[in-house]
Amino acid sequence: MSILLEKHIIELLQDRDDKAISLLYKHYGDTLYGVAYKVVRDEELAQDILQESFIKIWKKSDTYDATKAKLFTWLFRITRNTAIDKLRSVNTKSDKEIQIDVSDVYNLGVNSTRPEFMDVQENLDKIEPKYQMVLDALFFQGMTQQEASDELNIPLGTIKSRLKIGLRELRKIYGDALSLMIILSLTL
């Protein structure tokens, strides 16, 4: 690209002239698309990023300073940063999505939920009362650890310790299957 054309585009950008965007797209669009694609490796996403980048370029046109960077360098940075942000956003969103089709929770079947594990509340009396109170508050009254601490007037650290010890005592009664039952009761 000639220096005169670049200066003309910069002037149009600073004057907020619509012609600047079409000239930018014509002369830099393919290259900036390549920058976006190199980051995300997805054609459709790269096209979205290119469009978002041009919107940012238009909105930030008054911040461009020719003494700090060449026009292409400025365009490149905006496009690359937009692509990186979009990639992070997509990855974060997919990490947060619940993937029921790969979850084992719903595939336990009748054999995994045995009746002898359904009477946990009735067997709490087999452990010390201080652990009973904490387990009852957390699992059967639905309190959070902080709520149990406030309600029972017991420090939060003590609640956590008694929970851990109480579960260990129940495991002695029920075996390792108790852990699965507790996890299921908390998630369902």
Side-chain angles (χ1 to χ4, degrees), residues 54-175:
F54 275 105
I55 291 169
K56 287 181 181 179
I57 290 164
W58 180 253
K59 288 180 178 179
K60 295 179 177 188
S61 61
D62 59 328
T63 65
Y64 173 69
D65 184 354
T67 61
K68 292 185 179 178
K70 291 187 179 262
L71 180 61
F72 177 74
T73 305
W74 184 69
L75 299 171
F76 172 85
R77 285 182 184 152
I78 290 174
T79 305
R80 184 173 174 273
N81 289 342
T82 302
I84 290 169
D85 290 345
K86 180 66 84 173
L87 188 62
R88 286 180 183 151
S89 171
V90 167
N91 287 341
T92 301
K93 183 179 177 185
S94 66
D95 288 347
K96 291 180 180 176
E97 289 178 358
I98 298 173
Q99 298 176 4
I100 293 175
D101 57 325
V102 265
S103 174
D104 290 334
V105 172
Y106 298 101
N107 298 328
L108 290 173
V110 176
N111 294 332
S112 298
T113 310
R114 299 194 329 241
E116 62 265 26
F117 297 117
M118 301 307 284
D119 62 349
V120 174
Q121 194 168 15
E122 288 79 28
N123 285 309
L124 277 179
D125 63 347
K126 294 180 181 174
I127 62 174
E128 290 184 53
K130 61 184 180 182
Y131 305 126
Q132 287 177 31
M133 284 189 328
V134 171
L135 292 173
D136 181 64
L138 296 174
F139 295 112
F140 301 107
Q141 295 180 37
M143 294 183 192
T144 64
Q145 291 180 0
Q146 185 62 56
E147 290 170 340
S149 172
D150 297 340
E151 183 70 26
L152 300 172
N153 198 23
I154 299 172
L156 182 60
T158 305
I159 293 286
K160 292 179 180 192
S161 296
R162 289 182 182 177
L163 170 63
K164 184 177 177 182
I165 294 168
L167 290 175
R168 187 179 332 138
E169 293 302 310
L170 283 177
R171 255 187 233 108
K172 289 178 184 175
I173 298 168
Y174 292 105

